[in-house]
Structure formats: structure tokens, C-alpha cells
Amino acid sequence: MTTAPLLVLCALGPEVWALRGGDWRGSTGGPPVLVRTGVGRRRAGLTVRRLLGSAPGGYGAVVVAGFGAALGPGVQPGDVVAADGVRDAEGHLYPVDSGPELTRVLKDRGLTVHTGVHHTADHVVRGIERRALHLQGALAVDMEAAAVLAALREVRPALPAAVLRVVVDTPEHELLRPGTLPAGVRAWRTLRATVPALVDWYRQELAPRQELALRPADLNHPTSSTLPQEAS
């Protein structure tokens, strides 16, 4: 059986850079495809529709990964927040079934992980707005994930998806304060360290399908490279 690669979506170049340098050895389906969508819901949604609409069978799962902001207490810069749901600015909630399993494999790799709802905003969220979103049940905020999940629902509703954010700033230490640079470096290193867990998650996500389709000829199927690919 030939397995499609993992598609990893990031908004920013530094996020792609961090993930590209991670340890992708043993990645099911060969090297992942890393794509920078650009910032915001519109760009993220267009990217997903373009990639999956033109190659409907080209990817085995989608991961949205990058930096984000915490909305409540108890989450520190460098912590990972794995989504079990993503809510958009209009209040639509997209369940993310992968949240508990992704949390488990991240913790197995020694990372500090929280599981909860991500809120996708159209702007940088600060101050009292953060507190309001936290009171509504959200744990982290980003600007792309809901658009990715909405587009997946349209073009590939059965495709497995996962969402994670590494926290750069918190309500106590917001962006543009003096502590942002050290927190950013810590988050960048943590994002790179999530790669082996993403490999584990994708392997486990595909295991049931592989067991159904496996044939003797597939057992020694080679992969040509362990370096991530990039699409634009």
C-alpha cells in the first residue's frame, strides 16, 4: 500500500523553518509537505481549497501547527495547546477528534501540553478580550485554524486533522513586551520538538487503514527521502 504524506500548514515562515528542521525520520508516507499559508482565515482557507481541490488523494492527514497565544492562567510560554475543538469568530465550533491522542503522544515526548478549544480570531487578541474568550471556554487563540477546518469540511470531510499551537504569549506576558523575544525562542524550539510526536500521531492515525490494506509486497516499500517537502 502506498500511503500519502502528511500535509502540515503554517501561517508564518519561521514556523515552517522550525518544523522543517525537526526529526521526521520514519514519517509514514515519506517526507511531509510543509506549506506556508500566510496569516489570516482567508489565506488559510484558499490554500486548503487549492491544495486539496487539485490533489484530492494527495495527502493522508492535515496538521495545523504554529505559534499562538494563551487565553487563561496556568499556561506558560513554550507550552503546547492541542485542540479538541476550534471555534471561529462567528461562533461555529469544529470538533477536532485528534486532540486527546495528539496530547498523549506530545506528553510521551516530554512536552508540557494542554488540551482545549482554540478560538480563531481576525485580529490580535489582547487584554479584556482574552479574558472574555477564556470565559467562553477557549484556551488558546490563533488566526487560521477554523478556516482550515471549514475548508476541509467542504473538500475532504473525512480527512484526519490535528491542530496545535505553541504558546508565545500569555495574559500575563502579552506580545511586544520585553519578555516576548525569549518566549519566542523557547516557542520556536518547542515547535521543532513537536515533530517526533506528529510522526507518532500520523503513524497511529493510519494504522487501522494500513492493517486493512496491507499486502506482502508492501512490507519492504522504500521511501526515497526523510526530508520535508514544501509546496507553495
Side-chain angles (χ1 to χ4, degrees), residues 117-190:
V117 172
H118 290 205
H119 179 87
T120 296
D122 292 321
H123 56 277
V124 176
V125 175
R126 294 192 176 94
I128 193 169
E129 188 177 4
R130 285 197 191 209
R131 292 192 290 274
L133 291 173
H134 181 61
L135 289 173
Q136 294 167 21
L139 193 58
V141 63
D142 65 31
M143 298 179 68
E144 295 81 28
V148 171
L149 296 178
L152 284 177
R153 182 175 288 183
E154 291 178 18
V155 297
R156 289 288 304 279
L159 196 66
V163 179
L164 70 85
R165 295 293 177 185
V166 178
V167 173
V168 176
D169 65 316
T170 69
E172 297 82 12
H173 303 283
E174 291 193 343
L175 282 171
L176 305 181
R177 293 190 177 184
T180 299
L181 181 58
V185 172
R186 188 181 310 122
W188 189 89
R189 290 173 176 166
T190 300

Side-chain angles (χ1 to χ4, degrees), residues 17 19 26 28 32 50 69 99 103 106 110 124 127 150 152 163 168 178 181 192 228:
W17 180 29
L19 291 166
T28 303
R50 174 175 59 83
T103 297
L106 287 164
V124 176
L152 284 177
V163 179
V168 176
L181 181 58
R192 176 165 288 188

Side-chain angles (χ1 to χ4, degrees), residues 49-80:
R49 290 178 178 88
R50 174 175 59 83
L51 288 172
L52 298 182
S54 61
Y59 307 101
V62 174
V63 171
V64 182
F67 306 129
L71 293 173
V75 182
Q76 301 299 318
D79 288 1
V80 183

